[in-house]
Short mmCIF file of all heavy atoms in Angstrom, two decimals:
data_model
loop_
_atom_site.label_atom_id
_atom_site.label_comp_id
_atom_site.label_asym_id
_atom_site.label_seq_id
_atom_site.Cartn_x
_atom_site.Cartn_y
_atom_site.Cartn_z
N CYS B 54 6.92 -1.26 22.41
CA CYS B 54 6.36 -2.55 22.86
C CYS B 54 4.84 -2.55 22.74
O CYS B 54 4.25 -3.54 22.32
CB CYS B 54 6.78 -2.83 24.30
SG CYS B 54 8.52 -3.22 24.49
N THR B 55 4.21 -1.43 23.10
CA THR B 55 2.76 -1.33 22.97
C THR B 55 2.35 -1.47 21.52
O THR B 55 1.42 -2.23 21.18
CB THR B 55 2.26 0.03 23.51
OG1 THR B 55 2.68 0.16 24.86
CG2 THR B 55 0.75 0.13 23.43
N ALA B 56 3.03 -0.76 20.63
CA ALA B 56 2.71 -0.81 19.21
C ALA B 56 2.91 -2.22 18.65
O ALA B 56 2.09 -2.70 17.85
CB ALA B 56 3.57 0.19 18.44
N MET B 57 3.96 -2.90 19.06
CA MET B 57 4.21 -4.26 18.57
C MET B 57 3.12 -5.22 19.05
O MET B 57 2.69 -6.09 18.29
CB MET B 57 5.60 -4.73 19.00
CG MET B 57 6.70 -4.00 18.26
SD MET B 57 8.34 -4.45 18.82
CE MET B 57 8.45 -6.12 18.29
N GLY B 58 2.68 -5.05 20.28
CA GLY B 58 1.59 -5.88 20.78
C GLY B 58 0.32 -5.67 19.99
O GLY B 58 -0.38 -6.62 19.62
N LEU B 59 0.02 -4.41 19.67
CA LEU B 59 -1.17 -4.10 18.87
C LEU B 59 -1.02 -4.59 17.43
O LEU B 59 -1.98 -5.05 16.82
CB LEU B 59 -1.44 -2.60 18.89
CG LEU B 59 -1.93 -2.04 20.22
CD1 LEU B 59 -1.99 -0.53 20.17
CD2 LEU B 59 -3.27 -2.63 20.59
N MET B 60 0.20 -4.50 16.91
CA MET B 60 0.43 -4.97 15.54
C MET B 60 0.21 -6.47 15.41
O MET B 60 -0.16 -6.95 14.35
CB MET B 60 1.85 -4.61 15.07
CG MET B 60 2.00 -3.17 14.70
SD MET B 60 3.66 -2.62 14.18
CE MET B 60 4.61 -4.06 13.95
N THR B 61 0.43 -7.20 16.46
CA THR B 61 0.15 -8.64 16.40
C THR B 61 -1.32 -8.91 16.71
O THR B 61 -1.92 -9.78 16.10
CB THR B 61 1.02 -9.43 17.38
OG1 THR B 61 0.77 -9.00 18.71
CG2 THR B 61 2.49 -9.30 17.06
N ALA B 62 -1.89 -8.16 17.63
CA ALA B 62 -3.25 -8.45 18.07
C ALA B 62 -4.29 -8.16 17.00
O ALA B 62 -5.18 -8.98 16.76
CB ALA B 62 -3.58 -7.63 19.32
N ILE B 63 -4.20 -7.02 16.37
CA ILE B 63 -5.27 -6.59 15.45
C ILE B 63 -5.41 -7.51 14.24
O ILE B 63 -6.48 -8.07 14.03
CB ILE B 63 -5.08 -5.11 15.05
CG1 ILE B 63 -5.28 -4.23 16.29
CG2 ILE B 63 -6.04 -4.72 13.93
CD1 ILE B 63 -4.87 -2.79 16.11
N PRO B 64 -4.36 -7.73 13.45
CA PRO B 64 -4.57 -8.58 12.26
C PRO B 64 -4.83 -10.05 12.61
O PRO B 64 -5.65 -10.70 11.97
CB PRO B 64 -3.29 -8.42 11.45
CG PRO B 64 -2.28 -7.90 12.38
CD PRO B 64 -3.01 -7.17 13.46
N PHE B 65 -4.14 -10.56 13.62
CA PHE B 65 -4.31 -11.97 13.94
C PHE B 65 -5.67 -12.25 14.58
O PHE B 65 -6.24 -13.33 14.39
CB PHE B 65 -3.17 -12.49 14.81
CG PHE B 65 -1.89 -12.66 14.05
CD1 PHE B 65 -0.72 -12.06 14.48
CD2 PHE B 65 -1.85 -13.41 12.89
CE1 PHE B 65 0.46 -12.20 13.77
CE2 PHE B 65 -0.68 -13.57 12.18
CZ PHE B 65 0.48 -12.96 12.61
N THR B 66 -6.20 -11.31 15.33
CA THR B 66 -7.54 -11.48 15.88
C THR B 66 -8.55 -11.52 14.74
O THR B 66 -9.48 -12.34 14.75
CB THR B 66 -7.87 -10.34 16.86
OG1 THR B 66 -6.92 -10.36 17.93
CG2 THR B 66 -9.26 -10.50 17.44
N TYR B 67 -8.38 -10.66 13.74
CA TYR B 67 -9.25 -10.67 12.57
C TYR B 67 -9.14 -12.01 11.84
O TYR B 67 -10.16 -12.61 11.48
CB TYR B 67 -8.89 -9.52 11.63
CG TYR B 67 -9.63 -9.57 10.33
CD1 TYR B 67 -10.95 -9.18 10.24
CD2 TYR B 67 -9.00 -10.04 9.19
CE1 TYR B 67 -11.64 -9.26 9.04
CE2 TYR B 67 -9.67 -10.12 7.98
CZ TYR B 67 -10.99 -9.72 7.91
OH TYR B 67 -11.66 -9.80 6.72
N LEU B 68 -7.92 -12.47 11.62
CA LEU B 68 -7.73 -13.75 10.92
C LEU B 68 -8.34 -14.91 11.69
O LEU B 68 -8.95 -15.81 11.10
CB LEU B 68 -6.24 -14.00 10.67
CG LEU B 68 -5.58 -13.11 9.64
CD1 LEU B 68 -4.08 -13.36 9.61
CD2 LEU B 68 -6.18 -13.33 8.26
N LEU B 69 -8.18 -14.90 13.01
CA LEU B 69 -8.75 -15.98 13.83
C LEU B 69 -10.27 -15.96 13.76
O LEU B 69 -10.90 -17.01 13.63
CB LEU B 69 -8.29 -15.85 15.27
CG LEU B 69 -8.80 -16.93 16.23
CD1 LEU B 69 -8.27 -18.30 15.80
CD2 LEU B 69 -8.39 -16.62 17.65
N ALA B 70 -10.87 -14.77 13.81
CA ALA B 70 -12.33 -14.67 13.71
C ALA B 70 -12.80 -15.17 12.35
O ALA B 70 -13.79 -15.91 12.26
CB ALA B 70 -12.77 -13.23 13.94
N ASN B 71 -12.09 -14.79 11.29
CA ASN B 71 -12.44 -15.23 9.94
C ASN B 71 -12.33 -16.75 9.83
O ASN B 71 -13.22 -17.40 9.27
CB ASN B 71 -11.52 -14.54 8.94
CG ASN B 71 -11.98 -14.71 7.51
OD1 ASN B 71 -12.96 -15.38 7.23
ND2 ASN B 71 -11.25 -14.10 6.60
N LEU B 72 -11.28 -17.30 10.36
CA LEU B 72 -11.09 -18.75 10.33
C LEU B 72 -12.17 -19.47 11.13
O LEU B 72 -12.70 -20.49 10.69
CB LEU B 72 -9.70 -19.12 10.86
CG LEU B 72 -9.32 -20.58 10.81
CD1 LEU B 72 -9.28 -21.08 9.36
CD2 LEU B 72 -7.97 -20.79 11.47
N SER B 73 -12.53 -18.92 12.28
CA SER B 73 -13.58 -19.52 13.11
C SER B 73 -14.92 -19.54 12.38
O SER B 73 -15.66 -20.53 12.45
CB SER B 73 -13.73 -18.76 14.42
OG SER B 73 -12.58 -18.90 15.21
N ILE B 74 -15.22 -18.47 11.66
CA ILE B 74 -16.46 -18.40 10.89
C ILE B 74 -16.46 -19.46 9.79
O ILE B 74 -17.46 -20.16 9.58
CB ILE B 74 -16.67 -16.99 10.30
CG1 ILE B 74 -17.00 -16.00 11.42
CG2 ILE B 74 -17.76 -16.99 9.23
CD1 ILE B 74 -16.96 -14.55 11.00
N ARG B 75 -15.32 -19.61 9.11
CA ARG B 75 -15.23 -20.60 8.04
C ARG B 75 -15.39 -22.02 8.58
O ARG B 75 -16.06 -22.86 7.98
CB ARG B 75 -13.91 -20.47 7.29
CG ARG B 75 -13.85 -19.24 6.43
CD ARG B 75 -12.48 -19.11 5.79
NE ARG B 75 -12.40 -17.91 5.02
CZ ARG B 75 -12.11 -17.87 3.73
NH1 ARG B 75 -11.86 -18.99 3.08
NH2 ARG B 75 -12.05 -16.73 3.09
N VAL B 76 -14.78 -22.30 9.71
CA VAL B 76 -14.90 -23.63 10.31
C VAL B 76 -16.34 -23.88 10.73
O VAL B 76 -16.88 -24.97 10.51
CB VAL B 76 -13.93 -23.78 11.51
CG1 VAL B 76 -14.25 -25.01 12.33
CG2 VAL B 76 -12.49 -23.82 11.02
N ARG B 77 -16.99 -22.88 11.33
CA ARG B 77 -18.38 -23.03 11.74
C ARG B 77 -19.29 -23.28 10.54
O ARG B 77 -20.17 -24.13 10.58
CB ARG B 77 -18.84 -21.77 12.49
CG ARG B 77 -20.12 -21.99 13.28
CD ARG B 77 -20.49 -20.78 14.16
NE ARG B 77 -19.38 -20.25 14.91
CZ ARG B 77 -18.91 -19.00 14.77
NH1 ARG B 77 -19.45 -18.17 13.92
NH2 ARG B 77 -17.90 -18.58 15.50
N ASN B 78 -19.05 -22.56 9.43
CA ASN B 78 -19.84 -22.78 8.22
C ASN B 78 -19.61 -24.18 7.66
O ASN B 78 -20.55 -24.83 7.19
CB ASN B 78 -19.50 -21.73 7.16
CG ASN B 78 -20.03 -20.37 7.50
OD1 ASN B 78 -20.93 -20.23 8.32
ND2 ASN B 78 -19.47 -19.34 6.89
N LEU B 79 -18.38 -24.65 7.71
CA LEU B 79 -18.07 -26.00 7.24
C LEU B 79 -18.76 -27.04 8.11
O LEU B 79 -19.33 -28.01 7.60
CB LEU B 79 -16.56 -26.23 7.24
CG LEU B 79 -16.06 -27.57 6.74
CD1 LEU B 79 -16.47 -27.79 5.27
CD2 LEU B 79 -14.56 -27.67 6.89
N GLN B 80 -18.76 -26.83 9.42
CA GLN B 80 -19.46 -27.75 10.33
C GLN B 80 -20.96 -27.77 10.06
O GLN B 80 -21.57 -28.84 10.05
CB GLN B 80 -19.19 -27.34 11.79
CG GLN B 80 -17.80 -27.64 12.26
CD GLN B 80 -17.53 -27.07 13.65
OE1 GLN B 80 -18.12 -26.07 14.05
NE2 GLN B 80 -16.61 -27.70 14.36
N ASP B 81 -21.53 -26.59 9.84
CA ASP B 81 -22.96 -26.52 9.53
C ASP B 81 -23.28 -27.24 8.23
O ASP B 81 -24.26 -27.98 8.14
CB ASP B 81 -23.43 -25.06 9.44
CG ASP B 81 -23.43 -24.36 10.78
OD1 ASP B 81 -23.37 -25.07 11.82
OD2 ASP B 81 -23.49 -23.11 10.80
N SER B 82 -22.44 -27.05 7.23
CA SER B 82 -22.64 -27.70 5.94
C SER B 82 -22.53 -29.22 6.08
O SER B 82 -23.33 -29.97 5.53
CB SER B 82 -21.62 -27.18 4.94
OG SER B 82 -21.73 -27.83 3.72
N LEU B 83 -21.54 -29.67 6.81
CA LEU B 83 -21.34 -31.10 7.03
C LEU B 83 -22.52 -31.69 7.80
O LEU B 83 -23.02 -32.76 7.46
CB LEU B 83 -20.03 -31.34 7.79
CG LEU B 83 -19.65 -32.78 8.06
CD1 LEU B 83 -19.45 -33.53 6.75
CD2 LEU B 83 -18.40 -32.85 8.89
N SER B 84 -22.98 -30.99 8.81
CA SER B 84 -24.12 -31.45 9.60
C SER B 84 -25.38 -31.56 8.74
O SER B 84 -26.12 -32.55 8.80
CB SER B 84 -24.37 -30.50 10.76
OG SER B 84 -25.52 -30.86 11.47
N SER B 85 -25.60 -30.56 7.92
CA SER B 85 -26.76 -30.57 7.03
C SER B 85 -26.68 -31.72 6.04
O SER B 85 -27.66 -32.44 5.80
CB SER B 85 -26.85 -29.24 6.28
OG SER B 85 -27.87 -29.26 5.32
N GLY B 86 -25.50 -31.93 5.47
CA GLY B 86 -25.31 -33.03 4.52
C GLY B 86 -25.51 -34.38 5.18
O GLY B 86 -26.12 -35.29 4.59
N MET B 87 -24.99 -34.53 6.38
CA MET B 87 -25.15 -35.80 7.09
C MET B 87 -26.62 -36.05 7.43
O MET B 87 -27.10 -37.19 7.34
CB MET B 87 -24.31 -35.81 8.38
CG MET B 87 -22.84 -36.05 8.14
SD MET B 87 -22.51 -37.61 7.33
CE MET B 87 -22.84 -38.75 8.65
N THR B 88 -27.34 -35.01 7.80
CA THR B 88 -28.77 -35.16 8.10
C THR B 88 -29.52 -35.63 6.87
O THR B 88 -30.33 -36.56 6.94
CB THR B 88 -29.34 -33.83 8.62
OG1 THR B 88 -28.62 -33.44 9.79
CG2 THR B 88 -30.81 -33.96 8.95
N ARG B 89 -29.24 -35.00 5.74
CA ARG B 89 -29.91 -35.41 4.49
C ARG B 89 -29.54 -36.84 4.12
O ARG B 89 -30.39 -37.62 3.69
CB ARG B 89 -29.54 -34.46 3.35
CG ARG B 89 -30.29 -33.14 3.43
CD ARG B 89 -29.99 -32.28 2.26
NE ARG B 89 -28.58 -31.87 2.40
CZ ARG B 89 -27.89 -31.24 1.48
NH1 ARG B 89 -28.43 -30.95 0.32
NH2 ARG B 89 -26.65 -30.90 1.69
N PHE B 90 -28.27 -37.19 4.28
CA PHE B 90 -27.83 -38.55 3.96
C PHE B 90 -28.54 -39.57 4.84
O PHE B 90 -29.02 -40.60 4.37
CB PHE B 90 -26.32 -38.68 4.12
CG PHE B 90 -25.81 -40.08 4.00
CD1 PHE B 90 -25.70 -40.69 2.77
CD2 PHE B 90 -25.48 -40.80 5.14
CE1 PHE B 90 -25.25 -42.00 2.66
CE2 PHE B 90 -25.03 -42.11 5.05
CZ PHE B 90 -24.92 -42.71 3.80
N LEU B 91 -28.60 -39.30 6.13
CA LEU B 91 -29.23 -40.24 7.06
C LEU B 91 -30.73 -40.36 6.81
O LEU B 91 -31.30 -41.46 6.91
CB LEU B 91 -28.95 -39.84 8.50
CG LEU B 91 -27.49 -40.01 8.95
CD1 LEU B 91 -27.30 -39.44 10.35
CD2 LEU B 91 -27.06 -41.45 8.88
N GLU B 92 -31.38 -39.26 6.46
CA GLU B 92 -32.80 -39.31 6.12
C GLU B 92 -33.02 -40.16 4.87
O GLU B 92 -33.94 -40.98 4.81
CB GLU B 92 -33.36 -37.89 5.92
CG GLU B 92 -33.54 -37.11 7.19
CD GLU B 92 -34.56 -37.74 8.12
OE1 GLU B 92 -35.57 -38.28 7.66
OE2 GLU B 92 -34.31 -37.69 9.35
#
Side-chain angles (χ1 to χ4, degrees):
C54 289
T55 303
M57 290 176 68
L59 290 173
M60 283 178 11
T61 61
I63 293 169
F65 287 126
T66 300
Y67 172 77
L68 290 173
L69 181 63
N71 192 358
L72 184 62
S73 294
I74 289 169
R75 288 176 183 237
V76 167
R77 196 173 314 119
N78 288 341
L79 182 61
Q80 287 173 332
D81 290 344
S82 177
L83 182 62
S84 175
S85 174
M87 282 301 288
T88 301
R89 283 184 292 171
F90 172 76
L91 291 174
E92 287 297 323

